[in-house]
Amino acid sequence: QVQLVESGGGLVQPGGSLRLSCAASGSSISIKAMGWYRQAPGKQRELVAKMTSEGSTAYADSEKGRFTISRDNAKNTVYLQMNSLKPEDTAVYYCNVDFRPVGLTFDYTYWGQGTQVTVSS
């Protein structure tokens, strides 16, 4: 069983910053990667940024240079620092974790419940 606790969403003005965090907990699992996706109204869920346990990162092109993902492996927590926010960044942001139960040879993915980010003046 995996649990994700997300925090940090809210309302911010254009050009402002927010920091999202997501803490994962679970027994007998090995976390492979953690990251953030977002879904705006009427649109499909899309990758924002993701980081593997080895530190490799992937970003959506629209976020490169504005968003930074980081991770505290000891705390199984991933952070998303979002700067220079734009109205088009408004969406529900979902934490995602890829993990492997101990003793198994395949990975699972699990989603958080999402946190709303609204960029508006």
Side-chain angles (χ1 to χ4, degrees):
Q1 188 75 7
V2 175
Q3 291 184 328
L4 297 175
V5 178
E6 302 161 323
S7 63
L11 173 64
V12 64
Q13 292 186 340
S17 299
L18 280 176
R19 187 192 195 209
L20 306 182
S21 65
C22 174
S25 61
S27 58
S28 301
I29 62 171
S30 174
I31 292 177
K32 301 300 183 181
M34 295 183 71
W36 292 92
Y37 290 70
R38 70 184 182 188
Q39 188 167 17
K43 295 187 177 181
Q44 290 187 333
R45 191 172 297 187
E46 61 180 6
L47 172 71
V48 177
K50 198 161 188 173
M51 177 179 275
T52 69
S53 58
E54 291 80 22
S56 297
T57 58
Y59 290 92
D61 288 341
S62 60
E63 281 78 55
K64 286 182 180 178
R66 298 192 299 127
F67 293 3
T68 302
I69 190 169
S70 61
R71 184 172 162 181
D72 185 335
N73 285 336
K75 296 181 180 180
N76 286 334
T77 299
V78 66
Y79 306 95
L80 184 68
Q81 179 66 43
M82 303 186 292
N83 298 327
S84 302
L85 283 162
K86 305 173 182 179
E88 50 263 44
D89 294 318
T90 296
V92 178
Y93 284 68
Y94 294 91
C95 181
N96 171 268
V97 60
D98 297 328
F99 66 96
R100 180 172 297 182
V102 173
L104 299 183
T105 58
F106 48 88
D107 297 341
Y108 290 83
T109 193
Y110 189 79
W111 295 93
Q113 293 191 343
T115 183
Q116 177 69 46
V117 171
T118 302
V119 184
S120 175
S121 55

